[in-house]
Amino acid sequence: MQIIQTVLALALTLGILVTLHEYGHFWVARRCGVKVLRFSVGFGKPLFSWYDRHGTEFAIAAIPLGGYVKMLDEREGPVPEEIRDQAFTSKPPSQRIAIAAAGPAANFLFAILAYWLLGVVGVTHVAPIVGGVAEESVASNVGLREGMEIHAVDGHRVSSWRDVNMRILERAGEQGVITLDVSSAGAQGTLSGELGGWSLSDETPNPLGEFGITPWRPDVPAILGQIADGGRAQIAGLQTGDHVLAVNDEPIANWFELVASIRSSPEQTLTLTIERAGLEQSVQITPAEKKQDSGEVIGFVGAGVEAVSWPDSVMRDVRYGPLAAIPVALDETWADTRLTLVAIKKMVTGLLSPSNLSGPITIARVAEASVSSGFEDFIRFLAYLSVSLGILNLLPVPVLDGGHIVYYTIEAIRKKPVSDAVQELGLRIGMAMILTLMVFALYNDLMRL
């Protein structure tokens, strides 16, 4: 069931982004007088299709890992004289550049619209208040302390832990100084410190944790809120509302200590001291084995924590009017753009490990998690992925939109097209680069399983 949900989330995510990207090409091609033969979402044999009044076939294909817009093109066969002026190849370089650039442009416009919508609808964030700082970490060297709220990173406003994550992620692998605007007990100030080349782990990158920050969270007592049917907790006789006080006579202060004890004890019998209806009693339970994505085997009992309310003092409502949300949306989109460009640069220069590159498996899992998390997380994920898709397609690599734009720009300058031999060589090189990148990304995905 989990696999089906993940596949559906990937199909939904890619379906939305690919449709937007290809619609950009389609819309501008139509405005330039180019005859569009097919608009396909997905590759392979169409599952179903239909035609519009212009004779364009719209298709949903079986392999949901991309899409394409097929235009009338003299390079693919003879074109009747009466419709030759509708061929893509008959258009001037400026119009071909516009058509090629329209796909990435649609991705950027979607991100701006998505962030504008979130700004107008309004979102509620947990304030980025520090709960703990690791010793000898960058956060400690900067001067962060428990209870401080972060308001800006390197001068960029932040209002949530996601914002903080994005900003410090930009500085991964760097030397130099990082500055943080913070407040504590009503006093505000600016902290700064050396980064020292801090970097992300290759396996499970966690920018906040590796920077040395543990976000603040309310005390969560070890009170059971959900019991899974047929799980070890139900078999042991545990009930919702039970408060776990100790494990093997070792006191348990909160839910996280209970989770740590259970995770470290697969197939080991534990004695829980619980409080139920004001009375203490002992319950024996044997956590089942559960294999994590990383390969680690942990204990699992099928129980969830009782919901804990976050205090109003740490919640931040972020909402803008329709006009005020426009610059905010532009800033959010530019932040995503900058982060993607910085990540590409750092991978090329070696400051960021290429093992952080992700493929379809990781995208599918993140998509499934964001869909499950709710509307805001899913829209933010779509916006960021849309920006990344736009940037990658603008890279000057043959077979990508950016490579075509380079060819058409050269043609506009030289007043004649790039030779077929050069284009064919570029196509081979581009295909080799893309396939290598895809294989490497897929390999990283498999190594994370």
Side-chain angles (χ1 to χ4, degrees), residues 354-383:
S355 62
N356 289 304
L357 185 67
S358 298
I361 296 176
T362 298
I363 292 173
R365 294 161 92 182
V366 174
E368 195 275 331
S370 64
V371 170
S372 302
S373 297
F375 174 77
E376 180 195 347
D377 287 339
F378 183 55
I379 293 299
R380 287 188 179 278
F381 173 68
L382 277 179

Side-chain angles (χ1 to χ4, degrees), residues 157-168 332:
R157 174 189 55 82
V158 295
S159 60
S160 68
W161 281 118
R162 176 190 179 276
D163 295 340
V164 176
N165 248 320
M166 297 283 281
R167 292 301 180 182
I168 66 174
E332 292 270 16

Side-chain angles (χ1 to χ4, degrees), residues 20 43 45 69 93 102 122 133 156 177 184 187 196 205 228 249 305 342 345 356 388 392:
L20 287 166
F43 295 112
K45 184 178 180 180
V69 170
V133 178
H156 299 288
V177 174
S184 179
D249 295 326
V305 65
V342 168
K345 175 185 175 182
N356 289 304
S388 299
L392 291 176

Side-chain angles (χ1 to χ4, degrees), residues 214-282:
T214 300
W216 181 89
R217 55 192 175 196
D219 290 333
V220 182
I223 299 176
L224 306 184
Q226 306 94 32
I227 304 293
D229 291 338
R232 296 290 176 90
Q234 187 185 62
I235 294 172
L238 291 172
Q239 302 176 10
T240 57
D242 287 347
H243 186 179
V244 181
L245 305 175
V247 176
N248 292 340
D249 295 326
E250 290 291 330
I252 294 294
N254 54 49
W255 174 259
F256 306 105
E257 290 187 6
L258 173 61
V259 170
S261 296
I262 291 174
R263 285 172 62 96
S264 63
S265 308
E267 297 301 340
Q268 299 178 34
T269 300
L270 304 175
T271 300
L272 306 185
T273 302
I274 67 170
E275 180 183 331
R276 180 186 296 169
L279 300 176
E280 290 189 13
Q281 57 182 285
S282 295

